[in-house]
Amino acid sequence: MCTDESPATLPAPVLHDVEPAIEVDLEPVDSVVVTTLMDNIADMLLPDMGPAHRITIGSGPLRPCTTMAGGQTPSPLLAEHGFSVLVTVAKGGTEHRFLFDTGASPDGIMRNMNFLDIDPGSIEAIVCSHGHFDHTAGLDGLVRSLGQVNMPVLIHPHFWRRRRLVLPGRDPLEIPTTSRSALIQAGFDIIEERQPSFLFGRSVLITGEVARTTGYEPGFPPQQALLDGGWQPDPLVLDEQAMIVNVRGRGLVVITGCGHAGVINIARYAQRLCRGEPLYALIGGFHLAGPVFEPLIPRVVAELAEMNPGVIVPAHCTGWRAQHALAARFPAAFIPNSVGTSFDLSAPVYDEPDQRKVNPASV
């Protein structure tokens, strides 16, 4: 859940450190393909850019349209204020598919998967970055498509919290909450975990609760949660978690949902979990829109530059000012996102030297 109407002053620095139960040598994979099933923008005029492969106008199925001379029109990809990506990981000739978040509407990602000819039955597990509805409502469409789903869904225990937004000059706005009983009845294997956990052996890592160590990334200040019978401040959104994959010869691919934990906190924690592996790609929501977060943009950009990622794909609630600042600071790494785009992040070919060691700026 994101908003541009947050209070205009920053709260005191928030620190919430986490001592992870593990630090790992995350097993490298041959490739990871991240396909955007839902984001705030669908732009079919964007060209391919480096690892980004776009959907072109005229692609996809046709739908009936009585006002067209031929009775049909191309069925467009749907964009909405939400986020979802399909993550396809390949290693040693084996391929696995995971769904990270499910968008804001019951039918959005299902419609886009149909357009992209993606079989929802090929998904092996679902990771929900946090409990806000713009990342979870698409679970409904998956259930209606698959029936009994019989797959794990990985969440943090705070995922179920009943929450609301308290904004100046407005009545409190309650955020829709996912039903535990509905997921159980649908056949999901609910895995609640605060600590890091693995998928695909030791090749895909879910961060669990992210350490908040920058001191200036404030979480989500207008949020409250219903706790012990009353509404209480809940700015940290501790259920925010990210996905990490280590691409052989490149480094870490980190996928975020909204980035309520702070995108610098998330990237640093990913490196902390993975024994300092370099950051190769950062994809997802950076949550830098609105008056609370926009003053942070210069510092976030500067500290991200210290990590020197080779691919930066800000999405969802990043905000247009942050998008512009990132594009200006990282002209080679920045890639605008759009629904339907696939990012093919592969290991170097066998005779290509490890770019992390030869020329880190080129990765």
Side-chain angles (χ1 to χ4, degrees), residues 27-106:
E27 293 183 5
V29 303
D30 299 324
S31 70
V32 54
V33 178
V34 181
T35 301
T36 304
L37 300 180
M38 187 56 67
D39 197 5
N40 298 32
I41 295 173
D43 186 346
M44 299 184 79
L45 296 178
L46 285 174
D48 290 352
M49 300 175 64
H53 304 286
R54 312 291 190 179
I55 298 298
T56 58
I57 289 178
S59 303
L62 298 174
R63 63 189 307 178
C65 182
T66 59
T67 58
M68 294 292 110
Q72 292 182 315
T73 189
S75 181
L77 286 161
L78 178 67
E80 62 189 25
H81 185 85
F83 188 68
S84 175
V85 292
L86 180 70
V87 182
T88 304
V89 179
K91 181 178 72 173
T94 302
E95 189 174 276
H96 295 273
R97 279 182 162 181
F98 309 107
L99 185 63
F100 185 87
D101 285 349
T102 66
S105 68

Side-chain angles (χ1 to χ4, degrees), residues 178-191:
T178 303
S179 165
R180 180 192 295 266
S181 62
L183 296 194
I184 293 172
Q185 291 171 12
F188 284 107
D189 178 15
I190 297 172
I191 301 173

